[in-house]
Amino acid sequence: MNTDYLKEFIALAETKNFWEAAERLFMNQSTLSKHIKALENDLGVELFRRTTRRVELTNYGYTFLPHANAIVKSELDGITAIQRLKHIENGLLTIGSIPSMPQYNITMSLAKFQHKYPQCTVRITEDDPINLIHYLENESCEVIITREDKATFENNFLRNPAIKVIPYMKDNLVAVMPKTHPLAGSSAITLQQLKDELFCFIKEGTLMYSIATNACQQAGFVPNVIFTSHRIDSILDIISNQNCVALLMDKHLEMPHNGPDDPGAPWTYVPIVPNISSQISLCYRSDKELSATAKLFVEYILDTIFKKEQS
């Protein structure tokens, strides 16, 4: 059975229109029609009821559809596994990382690693921590550098023996506000002091959004969020121009061009008490054999962390 015909069957089942399915598949309608007919002949049943405008799945079609999806997915998974193994054998290391890599010295660590081991190739995917754990599970990344709040860290990693965790760095929640804000000169503040503020957060659906909103709710209020963005610079711009308050991690702000040491920056940050922290960790699957490049990278990070702790 031709798996390309199965992909065409799935597209037609989804669009219920030969023209739309052919457009999606970059083929002409007559060829698509011939392939569907050939598939029906192979199976000995009609998969579609055809009308002048639309097609509808028959009972046979509905029965066959999940199996066709499974076959196509299995083929894709097999091809992906082969490509991943080829990459590993060729010295390619795939790493998933949290955003804001420079602030966490991730970019510098990767650059120094590749300088030390020029024969190794590293491919980096940047994504939110909520998604990074899945990259380990489906083996699309051998190593991830991720963020976890305390509860998630314990649930996802400390209780999962298949995940090896190397603590990399900690950071702390801070309130970022204009320098003209009445609380800007405080040594520390509680979240309760911010309950009437307008907030800007990192985008919904991210771990940072969850950390910020949960912290406010634990303090007894629902934050009035008027702006969300994936970009730290956009959040800082809103703070500077619309008198908003952001809840970010202190490491988010440690960039030479926008850091708090810049006397021209129109914003500042104040620590939150009691302290709310997150853990940045390097993680990999302990139930899978690491590639030679991944082993070198893990050893390099361990050596780097150890040296920092000793200095």
Side-chain angles (χ1 to χ4, degrees):
M1 186 177 295
N2 191 326
T3 54
D4 286 339
Y5 291 4
L6 298 182
K7 296 171 187 175
E8 295 165 13
F9 162 69
I10 293 167
L12 184 57
E14 290 174 350
T15 60
K16 296 181 173 61
N17 182 284
F18 271 98
W19 181 84
E20 290 184 26
E23 284 286 302
R24 180 189 295 187
L25 295 164
F26 302 102
M27 62 193 307
N28 61 58
Q29 294 182 58
S30 61
T31 301
L32 174 61
S33 180
K34 290 177 182 177
H35 290 177
I36 295 298
K37 190 63 180 175
L39 178 61
E40 289 178 322
N41 289 338
D42 286 343
L43 295 170
V45 296
E46 288 192 348
L47 299 172
F48 295 99
R49 287 188 293 272
R50 295 157 175 82
T51 66
T52 55
R53 290 183 176 271
R54 290 172 61 84
V55 294
E56 297 289 343
L57 285 168
T58 64
N59 288 337
Y60 294 115
Y62 277 114
T63 299
F64 185 61
L65 182 59
H67 299 285
N69 275 310
I71 293 169
V72 170
K73 182 180 183 302
S74 180
E75 180 188 42
L76 178 61
D77 289 345
I79 293 171
T80 302
I82 292 295
Q83 291 175 338
R84 186 160 51 242
L85 182 57
K86 286 171 63 178
H87 289 155
I88 289 172
E89 290 179 344
N90 292 330
L92 175 67
L93 170 62
T94 53
I95 298 177
S97 174
I98 57 173
S100 305
M101 292 193 298
Q103 292 95 319
Y104 293 91
N105 297 324
I106 297 169
T107 310
M108 183 62 70
S109 295
L110 290 169
K112 288 182 176 179
F113 171 76
Q114 293 215 265
H115 180 75
K116 185 175 182 179
Y117 300 103
Q119 76 277 16
C120 298
T121 304
V122 177
R123 184 171 63 194
I124 308 159
T125 298
E126 191 179 74
D127 208 333
D128 189 74
I130 289 175
N131 299 322
L132 288 176
I133 184 63
H134 301 304
Y135 294 168
L136 281 186
E137 292 171 348
N138 63 25
E139 300 182 59
S140 58
C141 287
E142 275 197 279
V143 175
I144 62 171
I145 302 172
T146 190
R147 175 198 310 281
E148 298 293 335
D149 61 8
K150 185 175 184 297
T152 311
F153 177 78
E154 291 175 350
N155 288 335
N156 282 353
F157 294 119
L158 296 185
R159 299 179 185 176
N160 187 348
I163 304 294
K164 176 66 177 178
V165 181
I166 300 172
Y168 180 77
M169 186 182 295
K170 281 189 177 181
D171 53 9
N172 303 297
L173 194 69
V174 295
V176 190
M177 61 189 68
K179 286 183 175 178
T180 56
H181 194 283
L183 297 173
S186 305
S187 59
I189 58 174
T190 66
L191 281 173
Q192 185 62 31
Q193 291 176 266
L194 301 173
K195 63 183 179 66
D196 296 322
E197 299 289 341
L198 301 177
F199 286 95
C200 40
F201 286 174
I202 291 180
K203 199 74 175 173
E204 298 97 322
T206 64
L207 181 63
M208 273 306 306
Y209 185 89
S210 176
I211 289 173
T213 53
N214 289 343
C216 292
Q217 290 169 6
Q218 288 293 318
F221 68 95
V222 176
N224 184 7
V225 181
I226 65 165
F227 178 77
T228 63
S229 175
H230 282 298
R231 296 177 59 92
I232 301 296
D233 56 349
S234 296
I235 291 174
L236 295 178
D237 187 59
I238 289 290
I239 292 168
S240 303
N241 293 292
Q242 295 197 24
N243 202 35
C244 299
V245 174
L247 295 181
L248 299 172
M249 292 297 175
D250 51 7
K251 295 293 183 185
H252 280 140
L253 310 172
E254 293 189 4
M255 283 290 285
H257 66 275
N258 68 0
D261 293 332
D262 178 3
W267 53 267
T268 188
Y269 71 83
V270 181
I272 298 293
V273 291
N275 180 56
I276 299 171
S277 64
S278 72
Q279 173 70 54
I280 311 301
S281 302
L282 182 146
C283 307
Y284 60 90
R285 289 180 57 163
S286 59
D287 61 339
K288 299 286 183 178
E289 179 72 19
L290 286 176
S291 67
T293 305
K295 288 178 181 176
L296 284 175
F297 182 73
V298 170
E299 290 169 2
Y300 174 80
I301 293 297
L302 280 170
D303 184 54
T304 303
I305 293 171
F306 179 77
K307 285 182 179 178
K308 284 181 180 179
E309 291 174 348
Q310 295 299 309
S311 60

